Amino acid sequence: MRYSKEIEKFLYGQYFFGGLRMAVGVSLPAVLCLVVFHQADLGFTIATGALGACVVDMPGPLKYKHNEMLICSVLGFASALATGLATFNVFALWATVVTLTFALSLTVVYGNRWPQISFATLFMMVMTLEQHFTPLNALTNAAWILAGGLWYTYWATFVSQWQAHRIEKQALAENVFACVDYLLARADFYDIDANLDDCYRNLVDKQTTAVEMQDAARAIVLRNLPKLRRGKLDASRVTLFNLFINTVDLHELFVGAHTDYPLMRATFGNTDVMVFFRDLIRKAASDLEEVGLAVLQNRRPAARVNMKAEMRAIEYEIELMRKQGLPERQPEAYAAASATFRRIWSGVRLIDKMKKHLTSDTPGARTELRIDHTLMRFLSNRRVPLRQIFSNLTMASPSFRHALRVTLAVAVGFWLGRLLPLTNAYWIVMTTLIIMKPGYSLTKQRNMQRIVGTAIGCAASIALIWFVKVPAVLLVFMFASMVMSYSLLLFNYTASVVFTSSYVLLLFHLLAPGSMRIIGERAIDTVIGCSLAIGASRLFPYWEYRLMGKFVTEMLSATRQYLESAWWRGNAAEAPTSPLPGAAATVSAVVGGSSREAAASDERDFRYRLARKNVHIAFANLAQAFRRMMLEPKAHQRFVPELNDLLVQSHGLAAHITAAAPLLRSVAQHEPDGALALQRALAAVRENLTRAQAGEAPPVDQAETAKLIKRDLDAMVVEIERAGTHPPEFVGELKLLALQCKQMLAASQLIRKDAGAIRLPQP
């Protein structure tokens, strides 16, 4: 059953849809030129331009994708023309290739899609290496490459506009599936047999993926907001907008369910309550997965997964704990179990709400968030200064070092391809460009995947060519391999290489039947290109630890701002002293005719959500950099235990802030005097984060200070509970908030300790 769902996700998802769009867009002009005009060479040239443009055709907003494909096509034309004009002399060609490689490799400084644009442009250059052109032929060849790029640009734009609603659904579904994986990773913590360190590593990976999918979906959803039609909002877009907001909130609910897992394991062990928690989260994940599949397949979700047994069993277990005196004997363990159950219960209700949105015959016209210009603050700025490339012409720039490495590898690969027998310069250079990435770890990873994938692809191609003698059947296999190659490129590079090698070798076989020599030559070229890439990756290295100092600082700053936004959102008696930039200006800019109080409330909510997004992105950036560093040689790994613990504690602190945020306002409003202990605790957490950002080690008396703060929190709870002036619900919230403050304080102290020990360069 699991495999069938994964197949459904793939076939209905954005990757297969994109792979099919790419395969048709690349192959259609080649097939037409061959069948209609009987000019295979012309079709191959046009397909080269289309293939270059399709490299940039990645999931994202259509406006940016269209512009990026246009830029790629124009740059590809220029590089192909320059290379074609230089083919009259091998030394001129070598100099041109080296110059273009360096210039285009340096454009990765602009980020976003520029690494793909750089590779695609270099690809169009490489495909011109083995030709010999007159100036007129060079211009004609480059013009046909430009025509292929423009054809694919407007083909992809047309299909994307035609299927815009479906593409938006696919992005949302991927976001839902990433949330499903995060829930499953969270459920593993309640499996007493699962290793806790492995659970944390898996959770960090799933959190990173969930943030990436959220950001991708956000970029599409917020650029296609519901619009008024005949005085009403577009119901279908309202449904998708609400689904996105619900998914983000659901992710936050389970992030906020983070608790002291070692304490829960030590207290409850392998008891029924731990099993019930694990099974309940897994069932909730299965129910949420059905929501994603329903969105993909444009249907109603299936009946809800029955979770009543686990819910009632956990309620019974918690009540039994209360009767047995666990709140008095181990109050923190009892509070952790109760808070976790509340969070999961809220998550289950939110999943039900999402399913109702999809099953309703009359979709509501009310959005989960008010739609106005402030939503644009959630979008990432993609503009970069054009002069930025000149400031990177120094060995202190990792992009400059990357450009040097690629240029040297290409220069050597070009000469080897011209000197050695049974080799082709363009294939060696192409392999080198495909594998070489700005970081050593990614290059090493791609190198192994490329070798394994090519070996499997060559073996599969030999088997097909040996046993299948009908060209039409081989043509079908070739097209299917193209589709799968593009479909798997973004999430399974090894499998993508298998299909890429297969369709390229089948293509050469169909063009020159009976020549098995080509397969052997491609294998030799691949080995040479891989060797050059891995060798060059050790030149002018800029190891990952040199970049991580910036990510650590950004994550600590984002976490502090998240704490402040939650504090301000709760309307605490003592507002934070360092609000986010532009907060006051934005409050005054909120439109809609609401009162100043409502405007301020909306601004607090937006600021909180924006800070929440920023802290997740900062965490994902640090986690990805740490993962890349762990793939590098051990001699170039720095502060591994401290950075690993910093990631775990930072994720935990953000989760505790999330859990505390909805409780702060209630407590501050009902008990402003008694909340002073809470203010001191939050101020101490913020102070720890500020000092950690400055790299200051914790003071000697930190433990004693923490004890006093915790004692004040306990005294506050006891005093208010004894007074009997507040309802039990409020007292329960106060106890839970006090627990969250204690956990936030402990996490911030560990963060300060780790940050004080880490000494990383700041780029």
Side-chain angles (χ1 to χ4, degrees):
M1 185 64 181
R2 185 75 228 166
Y3 290 112
S4 65
K5 284 192 175 182
E6 293 301 323
I7 292 172
E8 283 184 65
K9 287 190 214 176
F10 176 71
L11 292 178
Y12 286 93
Q14 60 181 348
Y15 300 115
F16 181 73
F17 178 78
L20 191 61
R21 180 179 66 242
M22 292 178 183
V24 173
V26 171
S27 61
L28 190 57
V31 171
L32 288 176
C33 287
L34 179 63
V35 174
V36 178
F37 303 106
H38 305 289
Q39 296 189 37
D41 290 342
L42 177 60
F44 187 78
T45 303
I46 296 175
T48 298
L51 189 57
C54 92
V55 172
V56 191
D57 185 12
M58 300 294 177
L62 180 58
K63 172 186 174 182
Y64 293 111
K65 189 161 59 174
H66 171 265
N67 294 339
E68 289 157 357
M69 287 189 289
L70 276 180
I71 292 171
C72 178
S73 300
V74 173
L75 290 178
F77 164 78
S79 65
L81 178 60
T83 308
L85 292 173
T87 54
F88 72 93
N89 180 275
V90 67
F91 295 101
L93 181 60
W94 182 84
T96 302
V97 168
V98 168
T99 303
L100 285 174
T101 300
F102 178 78
L104 293 170
S105 297
L106 193 58
T107 59
V108 299
V109 300
Y110 294 127
N112 292 325
R113 289 283 183 265
W114 277 97
Q116 286 80 23
I117 294 174
S118 170
F119 169 75
T121 309
L122 289 171
F123 165 78
M124 293 183 233
M125 174 198 77
V126 169
M127 297 308 292
T128 316
L129 288 181
E130 297 297 325
Q131 307 293 329
H132 297 281
F133 294 113
T134 64
L136 180 60
N137 289 339
L139 179 60
T140 303
N141 178 75
W144 282 119
I145 287 178
L146 175 62
L150 294 176
W151 145 257
Y152 185 85
T153 297
Y154 289 99
W155 156 261
T157 302
F158 168 74
V159 174
S160 297
Q161 286 180 335
W162 174 41
Q163 294 287 316
H165 197 56
R166 178 170 180 77
I167 290 174
E168 187 174 355
K169 285 186 173 183
Q170 289 170 334
L172 284 170
E174 290 296 333
N175 184 26
V176 171
F177 295 143
C179 190
V180 169
D181 291 337
Y182 181 82
L183 264 61
L184 292 174
R186 182 70 76 185
D188 290 341
F189 282 93
Y190 298 95
D191 187 347
I192 200 69
D193 296 325
N195 182 272
L196 206 54
D197 291 336
D198 291 341
C199 289
Y200 277 118
R201 279 191 288 269
N202 186 40
L203 185 70
V204 168
D205 288 343
K206 299 307 180 185
Q207 168 75 355
T208 302
T209 304
V211 171
E212 290 174 352
M213 293 297 104
Q214 272 187 25
D215 210 34
R218 182 184 295 110
I220 294 177
V221 171
L222 296 191
R223 287 184 171 89
N224 294 280
L225 292 172
K227 297 179 181 179
L228 285 173
R229 290 184 178 178
R230 297 178 182 177
K232 295 182 180 180
L233 290 175
D234 185 350
S236 60
R237 290 213 172 274
V238 168
T239 299
L240 295 182
F241 177 79
N242 288 340
L243 180 64
F244 171 72
I245 299 300
N246 291 154
T247 306
V248 173
D249 289 342
L250 180 68
H251 176 251
E252 285 307 303
L253 274 173
F254 280 91
V255 167
H258 184 90
T259 189
D260 191 340
Y261 295 109
L263 174 64
M264 290 193 69
R265 288 188 174 198
T267 305
F268 304 116
N270 200 19
T271 57
D272 290 343
V273 69
M274 297 290 282
V275 176
F276 293 145
F277 272 130
R278 182 199 64 192
D279 292 347
L280 180 58
I281 296 177
R282 288 178 178 174
K283 282 191 173 184
S286 179
D287 209 26
L288 181 62
E289 187 176 44
E290 177 58 29
V291 171
L293 286 170
V295 172
L296 274 183
Q297 299 171 4
N298 196 29
R299 61 172 174 81
R300 293 171 179 265
R304 173 189 171 187
V305 176
N306 193 337
M307 291 173 265
K308 289 182 179 179
E310 286 79 11
M311 300 275 281
R312 290 174 178 172
I314 294 174
E315 285 181 332
Y316 172 78
E317 292 289 340
I318 291 176
E319 179 63 18
L320 191 60
M321 294 174 198
R322 188 186 65 79
K323 291 180 178 178
Q324 292 175 348
L326 190 66
E328 290 74 26
R329 290 185 288 108
Q330 291 182 301
E332 294 191 355
Y334 176 79
S338 301
T340 299
F341 177 64
R342 290 179 186 176
R343 285 263 162 183
I344 299 174
W345 180 76
S346 298
V348 170
R349 291 188 62 188
L350 188 51
I351 294 173
D352 286 341
K353 182 179 180 181
M354 295 164 70
K355 296 183 84 169
K356 287 178 181 177
H357 281 315
L358 296 174
T359 55
S360 176
D361 293 325
T362 55
R366 184 173 181 179
T367 57
E368 296 285 339
L369 285 179
R370 192 178 68 181
I371 296 177
D372 58 27
H373 70 280
T374 54
L375 286 174
M376 296 301 104
R377 294 161 58 193
F378 290 93
L379 295 175
S380 301
N381 184 12
R382 298 177 65 125
R383 295 182 179 178
V384 290
L386 294 177
R387 295 183 180 180
Q388 183 175 336
I389 196 169
F390 298 106
S391 63
N392 280 268
L393 294 174
T394 169
M395 289 298 288
S397 167
S399 300
F400 182 78
R401 292 174 178 240
H402 166 67
L404 282 180
R405 288 193 296 269
V406 175
T407 303
L408 287 173
V410 166
V412 174
F414 178 86
W415 279 115
L416 288 177
R418 290 301 180 100
L419 293 176
L420 298 177
L422 302 178
T423 58
N424 297 272
Y426 81 93
W427 194 270
I428 293 175
V429 172
M430 180 63 65
T431 301
T432 303
L433 291 173
I434 289 173
I435 293 174
M436 292 206 69
K437 299 297 173 187
Y440 171 84
S441 59
L442 292 178
T443 300
K444 177 182 176 183
Q445 192 177 44
R446 281 290 175 96
N447 185 60
M448 183 57 64
Q449 293 169 337
R450 178 78 176 173
I451 292 175
V452 172
T454 301
I456 297 173
C458 287
S461 299
I462 292 173
L464 279 172
I465 293 169
W466 187 268
F467 291 105
V468 180
K469 304 301 181 182
V470 182
V473 176
L474 291 177
L475 191 64
V476 171
F477 273 108
M478 187 190 77
F479 182 77
S481 296
M482 288 182 68
V483 174
M484 294 302 295
S485 170
Y486 300 137
S487 300
L488 298 170
L489 182 62
L490 291 180
F491 67 94
N492 193 329
Y493 183 71
T494 303
S496 176
V497 171
V498 171
F499 288 106
T500 301
S501 302
S502 180
Y503 92 70
V504 169
L505 294 174
L506 288 173
L507 173 64
F508 281 119
H509 172 73
L510 290 170
L511 293 174
S515 179
M516 298 293 288
R517 177 181 175 182
I518 293 176
I519 296 179
E521 290 179 359
R522 295 298 169 267
I524 294 172
D525 296 340
T526 298
V527 171
I528 295 174
C530 290
S531 302
L532 284 173
I534 199 65
S537 65
R538 300 300 295 265
L539 299 174
F540 320 116
Y542 200 93
W543 302 109
E544 200 66 42
Y545 76 85
R546 294 182 176 274
L547 297 171
M548 292 187 67
K550 178 185 71 171
F551 294 134
V552 169
T553 301
E554 289 176 351
M555 190 192 67
L556 293 173
S557 175
T559 305
R560 178 179 55 79
Q561 291 181 4
Y562 185 39
L563 172 68
E564 291 173 356
S565 67
W567 193 351
W568 186 49
R569 187 193 192 203
N571 197 22
E574 181 184 335
T577 57
S578 54
L580 294 179
T586 311
V587 171
S588 62
V590 174
V591 296
S594 59
S595 64
R596 292 174 61 89
E597 293 79 7
S601 177
D602 286 344
E603 170 58 24
R604 283 194 293 267
D605 189 56
F606 272 110
R607 173 180 159 181
Y608 171 78
R609 289 176 178 270
L610 184 61
R612 183 178 70 183
K613 184 205 84 165
N614 291 339
V615 76
H616 287 326
I617 290 176
F619 175 84
N621 290 338
L622 179 59
Q624 289 172 333
F626 181 75
R627 186 190 307 162
R628 292 193 297 268
M629 185 183 75
M630 296 307 295
L631 293 174
E632 295 177 343
K634 288 188 178 296
H636 301 289
Q637 297 175 8
R638 300 287 189 272
F639 304 104
V640 173
E642 291 83 1
L643 286 168
N644 183 66
D645 190 59
L646 185 67
L647 279 169
V648 172
Q649 297 302 330
S650 297
H651 183 271
L653 178 56
H656 297 317
I657 295 173
T658 302
L663 303 171
L664 282 169
R665 175 175 296 179
S666 174
V667 173
Q669 288 177 347
H670 287 82
E671 193 62 36
D673 295 332
L676 292 177
L678 294 173
Q679 305 302 320
R680 286 193 292 271
L682 294 173
V685 174
R686 185 178 58 183
E687 177 70 11
N688 283 333
L689 291 173
T690 303
R691 299 298 181 183
Q693 190 175 343
E696 297 182 15
V700 179
D701 62 341
Q702 185 184 58
E704 187 62 31
T705 303
K707 284 183 181 179
L708 293 175
I709 294 174
K710 291 178 180 179
R711 191 180 304 161
D712 289 344
L713 288 171
D714 291 336
M716 176 194 68
V717 172
V718 170
E719 181 180 349
I720 291 177
E721 189 174 18
R722 286 178 177 174
T725 55
H726 295 287
E729 292 79 10
F730 171 76
V731 175
E733 288 182 349
L734 187 64
K735 288 181 179 180
L736 184 57
L737 181 56
L739 173 63
Q740 295 294 344
C741 287
K742 291 179 185 178
Q743 292 175 327
M744 288 161 58
L745 183 61
S748 67
Q749 289 174 334
L750 291 173
I751 288 172
R752 184 174 178 181
K753 178 183 176 183
D754 291 327
I758 294 172
R759 291 292 181 267
L760 292 170
Q762 294 287 339

